[in-house]
Amino acid sequence: MTPPRSYTDQRPLLDRGELTATALVEYYLAQATQHAGLNAFLELFAQEARTRAAALDAKPAHARGRLFGLVLAIKDNIVYRGHRAGASSKILTGFESVFTATALERLLAEDCIVLGRTNCDEFAMGSSNENSAYGPVHNPHDPTRVSGGSSGGSTAAVAAGLCCAALGSDTGGSVRQPAAFCGVVGLKPSYGRVSRWGLIAYGSSFDQIGPLTASVDDAALLLEVMAGPDPNDQTTAPTPYRPSATDGPKRIGILREALESPGLQPEIKAALEQTRDRLVAEGHRVELVDFPLLEVMVGVYYILTTAEASSNLARFDGIRYGYRAEGELDLETLYARSRSEGFGPEVKRRILLGTFVLSAGYYDAYYTQAMKVRRRIQEATRALFAQYDFLLSPTTPSTAFRIGEKATDPIALYLADIFTVHANLAGIPGLSLPAGTDGQGLPIGLQLMADYLNDAELLAFARRLAPTLASLTAHPA
């Protein structure tokens, strides 16, 4: 049998014995093998998944965890004890983790099954999943197009039905942007809501682990299990996470600069306008709001994240683990050769940019100024949430573009994050929801954002909004 896509729908079947964890693992392994051409998985943990499923099936009903039998994929930058983790980079060839990321550990404690690790942009640096050392991930809706990045493998796996859910990481949109391109639900929690312990760092003040799922209910369940303080990550929020219910009319702001952006694909604009009209008809207060800082956010984001990346990636030197240049080399040459050969072009570009903005003579002109603008963005965002419960915008300016279409234009790729970097700069939660298709049948995503640590309220309202978005008609080109 073909299982339901959502774990929320699978669980009653598991509880009644109409479905087993073993059957689910076999189904997803077969699907992953059949669709290997998508290049979503770097490695399948086939025998381990079968063994774990058999052990879970032997558990009595009262001892089953909240995620019993949920078949999960993990992005290649989330570590899992005894398994390889490479951030899809040659520099970490052969590296095997000695511990498990806190977020994954909490999911495993509730009886999920890890099917394998997924492809991603190298060190999560990219918006198309074309920067992986192991080749691009293909979009299940059209294999000639990108899956989005950097969590493209995790997203494509969920969209193609190769697993039930997946973990990604979101530094500037890397969960939400591919979710929009592939037509699934993608959540970036508030900064600090989920522990970063065990996530290979890109931009430490931006990174968050987030779920990719077939439904809002599944995303909410995974967040509830993962969320909470962690002594290994001092940036985790001390406030405990509690699910929320929401009813009654809400105050919703639509970012005028996003709706009226000249680069916004007409079908996506139409989807946003249809959603606005339906929300008004349901009794919500929906207004256009001005946020002129939108035009500077991508620049601020790339100054700050490249600065953090240049520091975070200094540890990968070819000495202690991972790729090491061959030959009898002096220490300085060994460092230079190992890093030059081990890192891909986009990672080297961002390390160089980050080193530049942190260098003497440029630190104040770039890094310090960007930090000041980030503070202004945070303050302006707080002011908006004093007036509105949620902000609504497109997730991306276009639907999925063709593989190779923007490969020679990094600025065009960076601008693919124009609507998603806001949530990372402000530290707030953001959620991408499927919202119909364009004239070519490619998924459209709309983004909902809430105030800091209001993740539960965001998900509760998204449950109400999702059916409205799912019923949107296709928008002809």
Side-chain angles (χ1 to χ4, degrees):
M1 65 173 285
T2 300
R5 288 192 65 204
S6 166
Y7 180 71
T8 306
D9 295 328
Q10 289 180 8
R11 184 59 190 258
L13 301 178
L14 287 162
D15 289 339
R16 293 196 298 266
E18 299 172 25
L19 192 60
T20 65
T22 297
L24 284 171
V25 165
E26 294 299 337
Y27 172 80
Y28 287 123
L29 284 173
Q31 292 297 109
T33 302
Q34 181 181 342
H35 297 283
L38 292 175
N39 202 26
F41 279 98
L42 295 178
E43 182 182 8
L44 290 168
F45 307 146
Q47 191 51 51
E48 179 183 320
R50 290 185 173 111
T51 301
R52 181 167 170 82
L56 290 176
D57 282 333
K59 274 191 169 187
H62 71 272
R64 293 178 173 182
R66 299 178 65 192
L67 302 178
F68 173 82
L70 185 149
V71 179
L72 183 78
I74 57 172
K75 188 176 178 179
D76 192 34
N77 62 349
I78 298 170
V79 303
Y80 184 15
R81 183 176 181 176
H83 298 77
R84 284 179 289 171
S88 293
S89 176
K90 185 179 177 182
I91 197 76
L92 280 171
T93 300
F95 173 73
E96 187 175 292
S97 179
V98 297
F99 71 101
T100 299
T102 298
L104 178 57
E105 197 170 55
R106 291 175 177 175
L107 297 177
L108 288 167
E110 294 292 342
D111 291 343
C112 79
I113 301 166
V114 179
L115 192 70
R117 59 190 178 103
T118 57
N119 201 352
C120 62
D121 281 302
E122 185 180 5
F123 282 97
M125 297 181 189
S127 302
S128 62
N129 218 142
E130 295 174 283
N131 295 329
S132 169
Y134 305 102
V137 176
H138 300 265
N139 192 310
H141 296 271
D142 180 351
T144 69
R145 297 179 184 270
V146 301
S147 61
S150 61
S151 306
S154 289
T155 312
V158 174
L162 315 186
C163 59
C164 182
L167 293 185
S169 66
D170 193 310
T171 306
S174 289
V175 163
R176 291 160 290 149
Q177 188 250 27
F181 279 3
C182 293
V184 300
V185 174
L187 171 67
K188 184 209 85 76
S190 294
Y191 184 78
R193 180 58 86 187
V194 175
S195 172
R196 292 182 297 110
W197 178 252
L199 174 66
I200 298 173
Y202 162 21
S204 300
S205 73
F206 294 80
D207 298 339
Q208 274 290 273
I209 292 173
L212 290 143
T213 61
S215 73
V216 174
D217 284 329
D218 286 4
L221 177 59
L222 288 172
L223 178 62
E224 188 177 343
V225 173
M226 290 189 292
D230 177 14
N232 291 316
D233 179 3
Q234 297 302 310
T235 65
T236 48
T239 309
Y241 178 83
R242 293 187 178 87
S244 173
T246 183
D247 51 22
K250 299 298 177 184
R251 303 165 301 164
I252 301 162
I254 295 179
L255 300 180
R256 184 189 305 274
E257 288 76 12
L259 180 64
E260 298 177 356
S261 171
L264 185 63
Q265 187 173 319
E267 293 100 324
I268 298 177
K269 182 176 183 179
L272 185 55
E273 290 174 333
Q274 275 194 47
T275 303
R276 175 196 61 197
D277 295 343
R278 294 193 185 189
L279 288 170
V280 170
E282 292 170 9
H284 302 287
R285 191 182 98 198
V286 185
E287 298 173 349
L288 286 178
V289 297
D290 294 312
F291 200 81
L293 290 166
L294 180 71
E295 65 182 26
V296 302
M297 286 198 289
V298 170
V300 170
Y301 168 80
Y302 278 100
I303 289 172
L304 296 179
T305 56
T306 57
E308 294 185 15
S310 72
S311 175
N312 280 326
L313 271 61
R315 72 193 73 176
F316 304 113
D317 52 18
I319 303 297
R320 290 157 292 183
Y321 49 77
Y323 178 81
R324 185 170 184 164
E326 297 179 353
E328 296 293 328
L329 307 171
D330 62 76
L331 186 61
E332 185 175 342
T333 305
L334 177 61
Y335 278 136
R337 283 260 315 267
S338 296
R339 288 170 64 80
S340 295
E341 296 170 9
F343 288 129
E346 181 60 28
V347 173
K348 286 188 278 194
R349 178 186 290 118
R350 297 195 192 194
I351 290 172
L352 289 170
L353 286 169
T355 303
F356 173 77
V357 300
L358 291 175
S359 62
Y362 296 99
Y363 184 93
D364 287 336
Y366 291 99
Y367 185 77
T368 300
Q369 289 301 315
M371 286 294 288
K372 290 178 179 177
V373 178
R374 184 182 192 182
R375 173 62 65 183
R376 287 187 60 192
I377 291 167
Q378 291 169 340
E379 291 170 349
T381 302
R382 279 199 299 270
L384 278 181
F385 283 119
Q387 304 175 60
Y388 298 96
D389 299 303
F390 306 105
L391 296 178
L392 184 64
S393 73
T395 306
T396 58
S398 71
T399 52
F401 46 87
R402 295 192 182 278
I403 292 173
E405 182 180 324
K406 300 183 180 182
T408 59
D409 189 352
I411 301 300
L413 276 173
Y414 296 169
L415 287 172
D417 299 330
I418 189 168
F419 303 133
T420 53
V421 295
H422 185 176
N424 302 85
L425 285 161
I428 61 175
L431 180 72
S432 181
L433 296 167
T437 58
D438 69 4
Q440 300 177 81
L442 297 171
I444 290 170
L446 293 184
Q447 177 179 231
L448 197 66
M449 295 182 286
D451 202 0
Y452 178 61
L453 295 183
N454 281 4
D455 306 61
E457 291 78 7
L458 174 71
L459 288 160
F461 184 69
R463 283 191 185 95
R464 297 169 59 187
L465 181 60
T468 296
L469 298 184
S471 67
L472 292 179
T473 55
H475 308 289

